[in-house]
Amino acid sequence: MNKFALAFAFAATAIIVPLASAIAAPTPCETALKDLRAAEAKATPNDADKNKVSELETKGIERCNADDDKRADDFFAQAMKILGK
């Protein structure tokens, strides 16, 4: 009985851990950038907001190029918020 319980625990862990990490994975930064650029094309922000969005986009692209999708997505999300998306 103990061997069965131990085998079940290992099997459950082997299934749950990859699923949990897949759910928590950030959006690919290329996708978030594409969404941001589409929102920029439709938005009409004032000059100050446009400059701030541009700065955040540049920072996001730098993080995306460094394979830091989570931080890149954070910068893109901040820019989207400014654009009202």
Coordinates of all heavy atoms in Angstrom, one line a residue:
M1 N 0.8 -1.2 0.0 CA 0.0 0.0 0.0 C 0.9 1.3 0.0 O 0.6 2.2 -0.7 CB -0.9 0.0 1.2 CG -1.9 1.1 1.3 SD -3.1 0.9 0.0 CE -4.2 2.2 0.4
N2 N 1.9 1.2 0.8 CA 2.8 2.4 0.9 C 3.5 2.6 -0.5 O 3.7 3.8 -0.9 CB 3.9 2.3 2.0 CG 3.3 2.5 3.3 OD1 2.2 3.1 3.5 ND2 3.9 1.9 4.3
K3 N 3.9 1.6 -1.2 CA 4.5 1.7 -2.5 C 3.5 2.3 -3.5 O 3.9 3.2 -4.3 CB 5.0 0.4 -3.0 CG 6.2 -0.2 -2.2 CD 6.7 -1.5 -2.8 CE 7.8 -2.0 -2.0 NZ 8.3 -3.3 -2.5
F4 N 2.3 1.9 -3.4 CA 1.3 2.5 -4.3 C 1.1 4.0 -4.0 O 1.0 4.8 -5.0 CB -0.1 1.8 -4.1 CG -1.2 2.3 -4.9 CD1 -1.2 2.2 -6.3 CD2 -2.2 3.1 -4.3 CE1 -2.2 2.7 -7.1 CE2 -3.2 3.7 -5.1 CZ -3.2 3.5 -6.5
A5 N 1.0 4.4 -2.8 CA 0.8 5.8 -2.4 C 2.0 6.6 -2.9 O 1.9 7.7 -3.4 CB 0.6 5.9 -0.9
L6 N 3.2 6.0 -2.7 CA 4.4 6.7 -3.1 C 4.5 6.9 -4.6 O 4.8 8.0 -5.2 CB 5.7 6.0 -2.6 CG 7.0 6.7 -2.9 CD1 7.1 8.0 -2.2 CD2 8.2 5.8 -2.3
A7 N 4.1 5.8 -5.4 CA 4.1 5.9 -6.8 C 3.1 6.9 -7.3 O 3.3 7.7 -8.2 CB 3.8 4.5 -7.4
F8 N 1.9 6.9 -6.7 CA 0.9 7.9 -7.0 C 1.3 9.3 -6.8 O 1.1 10.2 -7.6 CB -0.4 7.6 -6.2 CG -1.5 8.6 -6.5 CD1 -2.2 8.4 -7.7 CD2 -1.8 9.6 -5.7 CE1 -3.3 9.3 -8.0 CE2 -2.8 10.5 -6.0 CZ -3.5 10.4 -7.2
A9 N 2.0 9.6 -5.7 CA 2.5 10.9 -5.3 C 3.5 11.4 -6.4 O 3.5 12.5 -6.8 CB 3.1 10.9 -4.0
F10 N 4.4 10.5 -6.8 CA 5.4 10.9 -7.8 C 4.7 11.1 -9.2 O 5.1 12.1 -9.9 CB 6.5 9.8 -8.0 CG 7.5 9.8 -6.9 CD1 7.8 8.7 -6.2 CD2 8.3 10.9 -6.7 CE1 8.8 8.7 -5.2 CE2 9.2 11.0 -5.7 CZ 9.5 9.8 -4.9
A11 N 3.8 10.3 -9.5 CA 3.1 10.5 -10.8 C 2.3 11.8 -10.8 O 2.3 12.5 -11.8 CB 2.1 9.3 -11.1
A12 N 1.6 12.1 -9.7 CA 0.9 13.3 -9.6 C 1.8 14.5 -9.7 O 1.5 15.5 -10.4 CB 0.1 13.4 -8.3
T13 N 2.9 14.5 -9.0 CA 3.9 15.6 -9.1 C 4.4 15.7 -10.5 O 4.6 16.9 -11.0 CB 5.0 15.3 -8.1 OG1 4.5 15.2 -6.8 CG2 6.0 16.5 -8.1
A14 N 4.7 14.6 -11.2 CA 5.2 14.7 -12.6 C 4.2 15.3 -13.5 O 4.6 16.0 -14.5 CB 5.6 13.3 -13.0
I15 N 2.9 15.2 -13.2 CA 1.9 15.8 -14.1 C 1.6 17.2 -13.7 O 1.5 18.1 -14.6 CB 0.6 15.0 -14.0 CG1 0.9 13.6 -14.7 CG2 -0.5 15.7 -14.7 CD1 -0.2 12.6 -14.4
I16 N 1.5 17.5 -12.4 CA 1.1 18.9 -12.0 C 2.1 19.9 -12.1 O 1.8 21.0 -12.5 CB 0.6 18.8 -10.5 CG1 -0.6 17.9 -10.4 CG2 0.4 20.1 -9.9 CD1 -1.1 17.6 -9.0
V17 N 3.4 19.6 -11.9 CA 4.5 20.6 -12.0 C 4.6 21.3 -13.4 O 4.6 22.5 -13.5 CB 5.8 20.1 -11.4 CG1 6.9 21.0 -11.7 CG2 5.7 19.8 -10.0
P18 N 4.6 20.5 -14.4 CA 4.7 21.1 -15.8 C 3.4 21.9 -16.1 O 3.5 23.0 -16.7 CB 4.9 19.9 -16.7 CG 5.4 18.8 -15.9 CD 4.8 19.0 -14.5
L19 N 2.3 21.5 -15.7 CA 1.1 22.2 -15.9 C 1.0 23.5 -15.2 O 0.7 24.6 -15.8 CB -0.2 21.4 -15.5 CG -0.5 20.2 -16.4 CD1 -1.7 19.4 -15.8 CD2 -0.8 20.6 -17.8
A20 N 1.5 23.5 -14.0 CA 1.5 24.8 -13.2 C 2.5 25.8 -13.8 O 2.2 27.0 -13.8 CB 1.9 24.5 -11.7
S21 N 3.6 25.3 -14.2 CA 4.6 26.3 -14.8 C 4.1 26.8 -16.1 O 4.4 27.9 -16.5 CB 6.0 25.6 -14.9 OG 5.9 24.5 -15.8
A22 N 3.4 26.0 -16.9 CA 2.8 26.4 -18.2 C 1.8 27.5 -18.0 O 1.7 28.5 -18.7 CB 2.3 25.3 -19.0
I23 N 1.0 27.4 -16.9 CA -0.1 28.3 -16.6 C 0.6 29.7 -16.2 O 0.1 30.7 -16.5 CB -1.0 27.8 -15.6 CG1 -1.8 26.6 -16.1 CG2 -2.0 28.9 -15.1 CD1 -2.6 25.8 -15.1
A24 N 1.6 29.6 -15.4 CA 2.3 30.8 -14.9 C 3.2 31.5 -15.9 O 3.7 32.5 -15.6 CB 3.0 30.5 -13.6
A25 N 3.5 30.9 -17.0 CA 4.4 31.4 -18.0 C 3.9 32.7 -18.5 O 2.8 32.9 -18.8 CB 4.7 30.4 -19.1
P26 N 4.8 33.7 -18.7 CA 4.4 35.0 -19.3 C 4.1 34.8 -20.7 O 4.5 33.9 -21.4 CB 5.6 35.9 -19.0 CG 6.8 34.9 -19.0 CD 6.2 33.6 -18.4
T27 N 3.3 35.8 -21.2 CA 3.0 35.9 -22.7 C 4.3 36.1 -23.4 O 5.2 36.9 -23.0 CB 2.1 37.0 -22.9 OG1 0.9 36.9 -22.1 CG2 1.7 37.1 -24.4
P28 N 4.5 35.5 -24.6 CA 5.7 35.8 -25.3 C 5.8 37.3 -25.6 O 4.8 37.9 -26.0 CB 5.6 35.0 -26.6 CG 4.6 33.9 -26.3 CD 3.7 34.4 -25.2
C29 N 6.9 37.9 -25.4 CA 7.0 39.4 -25.5 C 6.7 39.8 -26.9 O 6.2 40.9 -27.1 CB 8.3 39.9 -25.0 SG 9.8 39.2 -25.8
E30 N 7.0 39.0 -27.9 CA 6.7 39.4 -29.3 C 5.2 39.6 -29.5 O 4.8 40.5 -30.2 CB 7.2 38.4 -30.3 CG 8.7 38.2 -30.3 CD 9.3 37.3 -29.2 OE1 8.5 36.7 -28.4 OE2 10.5 37.3 -29.0
T31 N 4.4 38.7 -28.8 CA 2.9 38.9 -28.9 C 2.5 40.1 -28.2 O 1.6 40.8 -28.8 CB 2.3 37.6 -28.3 OG1 2.8 36.5 -29.0 CG2 0.8 37.7 -28.4
A32 N 3.0 40.4 -27.1 CA 2.6 41.6 -26.3 C 3.0 42.8 -27.1 O 2.3 43.8 -27.1 CB 3.2 41.6 -24.9
L33 N 4.2 42.8 -27.7 CA 4.6 44.0 -28.5 C 3.7 44.2 -29.7 O 3.3 45.3 -30.0 CB 6.1 43.8 -29.0 CG 6.6 44.9 -29.8 CD1 6.6 46.2 -29.1 CD2 8.1 44.5 -30.2
K34 N 3.3 43.1 -30.3 CA 2.4 43.2 -31.5 C 1.1 43.8 -31.0 O 0.5 44.7 -31.7 CB 2.1 41.8 -32.1 CG 1.3 41.9 -33.3 CD 1.1 40.5 -33.9 CE 0.0 39.8 -33.1 NZ -0.4 38.5 -33.6
D35 N 0.6 43.4 -29.9 CA -0.7 44.0 -29.3 C -0.5 45.5 -29.0 O -1.5 46.2 -29.3 CB -1.1 43.2 -28.1 CG -1.5 41.8 -28.4 OD1 -1.8 41.4 -29.6 OD2 -1.6 41.0 -27.4
L36 N 0.6 45.8 -28.4 CA 0.9 47.2 -28.1 C 0.9 48.1 -29.4 O 0.3 49.1 -29.4 CB 2.2 47.4 -27.3 CG 2.6 48.8 -27.1 CD1 1.6 49.6 -26.2 CD2 4.0 48.8 -26.4
R37 N 1.6 47.6 -30.4 CA 1.7 48.4 -31.6 C 0.3 48.5 -32.3 O 0.0 49.6 -32.9 CB 2.7 47.8 -32.6 CG 4.1 48.0 -32.0 CD 5.2 47.5 -32.9 NE 6.5 47.9 -32.5 CZ 7.6 47.3 -32.8 NH1 7.6 46.3 -33.7 NH2 8.8 47.7 -32.3
A38 N -0.5 47.5 -32.2 CA -1.9 47.6 -32.7 C -2.7 48.6 -32.0 O -3.4 49.4 -32.6 CB -2.6 46.3 -32.7
A39 N -2.5 48.7 -30.6 CA -3.2 49.7 -29.8 C -2.7 51.1 -30.1 O -3.5 52.0 -30.1 CB -3.1 49.3 -28.3
E40 N -1.4 51.2 -30.3 CA -0.8 52.5 -30.6 C -1.4 53.1 -32.0 O -1.6 54.3 -32.1 CB 0.7 52.4 -30.8 CG 1.4 52.4 -29.5 CD 2.9 52.3 -29.7 OE1 3.4 51.3 -30.2 OE2 3.6 53.3 -29.3
A41 N -1.6 52.2 -32.9 CA -2.1 52.6 -34.2 C -3.5 53.2 -34.1 O -3.9 54.0 -34.9 CB -2.1 51.4 -35.2
K42 N -4.3 52.7 -33.2 CA -5.7 53.1 -33.0 C -5.9 54.3 -32.0 O -6.9 54.9 -32.1 CB -6.6 51.9 -32.5 CG -6.6 50.8 -33.6 CD -7.4 49.6 -33.0 CE -7.4 48.5 -34.0 NZ -8.1 47.3 -33.4
A43 N -4.9 54.5 -31.1 CA -5.0 55.5 -30.1 C -4.6 56.8 -30.6 O -3.8 57.0 -31.5 CB -4.2 55.0 -28.9
T44 N -5.0 57.8 -29.9 CA -4.6 59.2 -30.1 C -4.2 59.9 -28.8 O -4.9 60.8 -28.3 CB -5.7 60.0 -30.8 OG1 -6.9 59.9 -30.0 CG2 -6.1 59.5 -32.2
P45 N -3.1 59.4 -28.2 CA -2.6 60.0 -27.0 C -2.0 61.4 -27.2 O -1.6 61.8 -28.3 CB -1.6 59.0 -26.5 CG -1.0 58.5 -27.8 CD -2.2 58.4 -28.7
N46 N -2.0 62.2 -26.1 CA -1.3 63.5 -26.1 C 0.2 63.3 -26.2 O 0.7 62.2 -26.1 CB -1.7 64.4 -25.0 CG -1.3 63.8 -23.6 OD1 -0.3 63.2 -23.5 ND2 -2.2 64.0 -22.6
D47 N 0.9 64.3 -26.4 CA 2.4 64.2 -26.6 C 3.1 63.6 -25.4 O 4.0 62.8 -25.6 CB 3.0 65.6 -27.0 CG 2.6 66.1 -28.4 OD1 2.2 65.2 -29.2 OD2 2.7 67.3 -28.6
A48 N 2.7 64.0 -24.2 CA 3.3 63.5 -23.0 C 3.1 62.0 -22.9 O 4.0 61.2 -22.6 CB 2.8 64.2 -21.8
D49 N 1.9 61.5 -23.2 CA 1.6 60.1 -23.1 C 2.3 59.3 -24.2 O 2.7 58.2 -24.0 CB 0.1 59.9 -23.2 CG -0.7 60.2 -21.9 OD1 0.0 60.4 -20.8 OD2 -1.9 60.3 -21.9
K50 N 2.3 60.0 -25.4 CA 3.0 59.3 -26.5 C 4.5 59.1 -26.2 O 5.0 58.0 -26.5 CB 2.8 60.2 -27.8 CG 3.3 59.5 -29.0 CD 3.1 60.4 -30.2 CE 1.7 60.5 -30.6 NZ 1.4 61.2 -31.9
N51 N 5.1 60.1 -25.6 CA 6.5 59.9 -25.2 C 6.7 58.9 -24.2 O 7.7 58.1 -24.3 CB 7.1 61.3 -24.7 CG 7.2 62.3 -25.8 OD1 7.4 61.9 -27.0 ND2 7.2 63.5 -25.5
K52 N 5.8 58.8 -23.2 CA 5.9 57.8 -22.1 C 5.7 56.4 -22.7 O 6.4 55.5 -22.4 CB 4.9 58.1 -21.0 CG 5.0 57.2 -19.8 CD 6.3 57.3 -19.1 CE 6.4 56.4 -17.9 NZ 7.7 56.4 -17.3
V53 N 4.7 56.2 -23.6 CA 4.5 55.0 -24.3 C 5.7 54.5 -25.1 O 6.1 53.4 -25.0 CB 3.2 55.0 -25.1 CG1 3.1 53.8 -26.0 CG2 2.0 55.1 -24.3
S54 N 6.3 55.5 -25.7 CA 7.5 55.2 -26.5 C 8.7 54.7 -25.7 O 9.4 53.8 -26.0 CB 7.9 56.4 -27.3 OG 9.1 56.2 -28.1
E55 N 8.9 55.4 -24.5 CA 9.9 55.0 -23.6 C 9.7 53.6 -23.0 O 10.6 52.8 -23.0 CB 10.0 56.0 -22.4 CG 10.5 57.3 -22.7 CD 10.4 58.3 -21.5 OE1 10.3 57.7 -20.3 OE2 10.4 59.5 -21.7
L56 N 8.4 53.3 -22.7 CA 8.1 52.0 -22.1 C 8.3 50.9 -23.2 O 8.7 49.8 -22.9 CB 6.7 52.0 -21.6 CG 6.5 52.7 -20.3 CD1 5.0 52.9 -20.0 CD2 7.1 52.1 -19.1
E57 N 7.9 51.2 -24.5 CA 8.1 50.3 -25.6 C 9.6 50.0 -25.8 O 9.9 48.8 -25.9 CB 7.5 50.9 -26.8 CG 7.5 49.9 -28.0 CD 6.9 50.5 -29.3 OE1 6.2 51.5 -29.2 OE2 7.0 49.9 -30.3
T58 N 10.4 51.0 -25.7 CA 11.8 50.8 -25.9 C 12.4 49.9 -24.8 O 13.2 49.0 -25.0 CB 12.6 52.2 -25.9 OG1 12.0 53.0 -27.0 CG2 14.0 52.0 -26.1
K59 N 12.0 50.2 -23.5 CA 12.5 49.4 -22.4 C 12.0 47.9 -22.6 O 12.7 47.0 -22.3 CB 12.0 49.9 -21.1 CG 12.6 51.2 -20.7 CD 12.0 51.8 -19.4 CE 12.6 53.1 -19.0 NZ 12.1 53.6 -17.7
G60 N 10.7 47.8 -23.0 CA 10.2 46.4 -23.2 C 10.9 45.7 -24.3 O 11.2 44.5 -24.2
I61 N 11.3 46.4 -25.4 CA 12.0 45.7 -26.5 C 13.4 45.3 -26.0 O 13.9 44.2 -26.3 CB 12.1 46.7 -27.7 CG1 10.7 46.8 -28.3 CG2 13.1 46.2 -28.7 CD1 10.6 47.9 -29.4
E62 N 14.0 46.1 -25.2 CA 15.4 45.8 -24.6 C 15.3 44.5 -23.8 O 16.1 43.6 -23.9 CB 15.9 46.9 -23.8 CG 16.3 48.1 -24.5 CD 16.7 49.3 -23.6 OE1 16.7 49.2 -22.4 OE2 17.0 50.4 -24.2
R63 N 14.2 44.4 -22.9 CA 14.1 43.2 -22.1 C 13.7 42.0 -22.9 O 14.1 40.9 -22.7 CB 13.0 43.5 -21.0 CG 13.3 44.5 -20.0 CD 14.7 44.5 -19.4 NE 15.2 43.2 -19.1 CZ 16.5 42.9 -19.1 NH1 17.4 43.8 -19.4 NH2 16.9 41.6 -18.9
C64 N 12.9 42.3 -24.0 CA 12.5 41.2 -24.9 C 13.7 40.6 -25.6 O 13.9 39.4 -25.7 CB 11.5 41.7 -25.9 SG 10.7 40.4 -26.9
N65 N 14.6 41.5 -26.0 CA 15.8 41.0 -26.7 C 16.7 40.3 -25.7 O 17.6 39.4 -26.2 CB 16.6 42.2 -27.3 CG 15.8 42.8 -28.5 OD1 15.1 42.1 -29.2 ND2 16.1 44.0 -28.8
A66 N 16.6 40.5 -24.5 CA 17.4 39.9 -23.4 C 16.7 38.6 -22.9 O 17.1 38.0 -22.0 CB 17.7 40.8 -22.3
D67 N 15.6 38.2 -23.6 CA 14.8 37.0 -23.2 C 14.3 37.1 -21.8 O 14.2 36.1 -21.1 CB 15.7 35.7 -23.4 CG 15.9 35.4 -24.8 OD1 15.1 35.7 -25.7 OD2 17.0 34.8 -25.1
D68 N 13.9 38.3 -21.4 CA 13.3 38.5 -20.1 C 11.8 38.9 -20.4 O 11.4 40.0 -20.3 CB 14.0 39.7 -19.4 CG 13.5 39.9 -18.0 OD1 12.5 39.2 -17.6 OD2 14.0 40.8 -17.3
D69 N 11.0 37.9 -20.8 CA 9.6 38.1 -21.3 C 8.8 38.7 -20.2 O 7.9 39.6 -20.5 CB 9.0 36.8 -21.8 CG 9.5 36.4 -23.1 OD1 10.4 37.1 -23.7 OD2 9.0 35.4 -23.7
K70 N 9.0 38.3 -19.0 CA 8.1 38.8 -17.9 C 8.3 40.3 -17.7 O 7.3 41.0 -17.6 CB 8.4 38.1 -16.6 CG 7.5 38.6 -15.4 CD 7.7 37.8 -14.2 CE 6.9 38.3 -13.0 NZ 6.0 39.3 -13.1
R71 N 9.5 40.8 -17.6 CA 9.7 42.3 -17.4 C 9.3 43.0 -18.7 O 8.7 44.1 -18.6 CB 11.1 42.5 -17.1 CG 11.4 42.0 -15.6 CD 12.7 42.5 -15.1 NE 12.8 43.9 -15.0 CZ 14.0 44.6 -15.0 NH1 15.1 43.9 -15.1 NH2 14.0 45.9 -15.0
A72 N 9.5 42.4 -19.9 CA 9.1 43.1 -21.1 C 7.6 43.2 -21.1 O 7.1 44.3 -21.5 CB 9.6 42.3 -22.3
D73 N 6.9 42.2 -20.8 CA 5.4 42.2 -20.7 C 5.0 43.3 -19.7 O 3.9 43.9 -19.9 CB 4.9 40.8 -20.3 CG 5.0 39.8 -21.5 OD1 5.4 40.2 -22.6 OD2 4.8 38.6 -21.2
D74 N 5.7 43.4 -18.6 CA 5.3 44.4 -17.6 C 5.4 45.8 -18.2 O 4.5 46.7 -18.1 CB 6.2 44.4 -16.4 CG 5.9 43.1 -15.5 OD1 4.9 42.5 -15.7 OD2 6.8 42.8 -14.7
F75 N 6.5 46.1 -19.0 CA 6.6 47.4 -19.6 C 5.5 47.6 -20.7 O 4.9 48.7 -20.8 CB 8.0 47.6 -20.3 CG 9.1 47.8 -19.3 CD1 10.2 46.9 -19.3 CD2 9.1 48.9 -18.4 CE1 11.3 47.1 -18.4 CE2 10.2 49.1 -17.5 CZ 11.2 48.2 -17.5
F76 N 5.2 46.6 -21.5 CA 4.2 46.7 -22.5 C 2.8 46.9 -21.8 O 2.0 47.7 -22.3 CB 4.2 45.5 -23.4 CG 5.5 45.3 -24.2 CD1 5.9 44.0 -24.5 CD2 6.2 46.4 -24.6 CE1 7.1 43.9 -25.2 CE2 7.4 46.2 -25.4 CZ 7.8 45.0 -25.7
A77 N 2.6 46.2 -20.7 CA 1.3 46.4 -20.0 C 1.1 47.8 -19.5 O 0.0 48.4 -19.5 CB 1.2 45.4 -18.9
Q78 N 2.2 48.4 -19.0 CA 2.2 49.8 -18.5 C 1.8 50.7 -19.7 O 1.0 51.7 -19.5 CB 3.5 50.2 -17.9 CG 3.8 49.5 -16.6 CD 5.2 49.9 -16.1 OE1 5.7 51.0 -16.3 NE2 5.9 48.9 -15.5
A79 N 2.4 50.5 -20.8 CA 2.2 51.3 -22.0 C 0.7 51.1 -22.4 O 0.0 52.1 -22.8 CB 3.1 50.9 -23.1
M80 N 0.2 49.9 -22.4 CA -1.2 49.7 -22.8 C -2.1 50.4 -21.8 O -3.2 50.9 -22.2 CB -1.5 48.2 -22.8 CG -0.8 47.4 -23.8 SD -1.5 47.6 -25.5 CE -2.8 46.4 -25.4
K81 N -1.8 50.4 -20.6 CA -2.6 51.1 -19.6 C -2.7 52.6 -19.9 O -3.8 53.2 -19.8 CB -2.1 50.9 -18.2 CG -2.9 51.4 -17.1 CD -2.4 51.0 -15.7 CE -3.3 51.5 -14.6 NZ -2.8 51.2 -13.3
I82 N -1.6 53.2 -20.3 CA -1.6 54.6 -20.6 C -2.5 54.9 -21.8 O -3.2 55.9 -21.9 CB -0.1 55.1 -20.9 CG1 0.7 55.1 -19.6 CG2 -0.1 56.5 -21.6 CD1 2.2 55.3 -19.8
L83 N -2.5 53.9 -22.8 CA -3.3 54.0 -24.0 C -4.8 53.7 -23.7 O -5.6 53.8 -24.6 CB -2.8 53.1 -25.1 CG -1.4 53.4 -25.6 CD1 -0.9 52.3 -26.6 CD2 -1.4 54.8 -26.3
G84 N -5.1 53.3 -22.5 CA -6.4 53.0 -22.1 C -6.9 51.6 -22.5 O -8.1 51.3 -22.6
K85 N -6.0 50.7 -22.7 CA -6.3 49.3 -23.1 C -6.1 48.3 -21.9 O -5.3 48.5 -21.1 CB -5.4 48.8 -24.3 CG -5.6 49.7 -25.5 CD -7.0 49.6 -26.1 CE -7.1 50.5 -27.3 NZ -8.4 50.6 -27.8

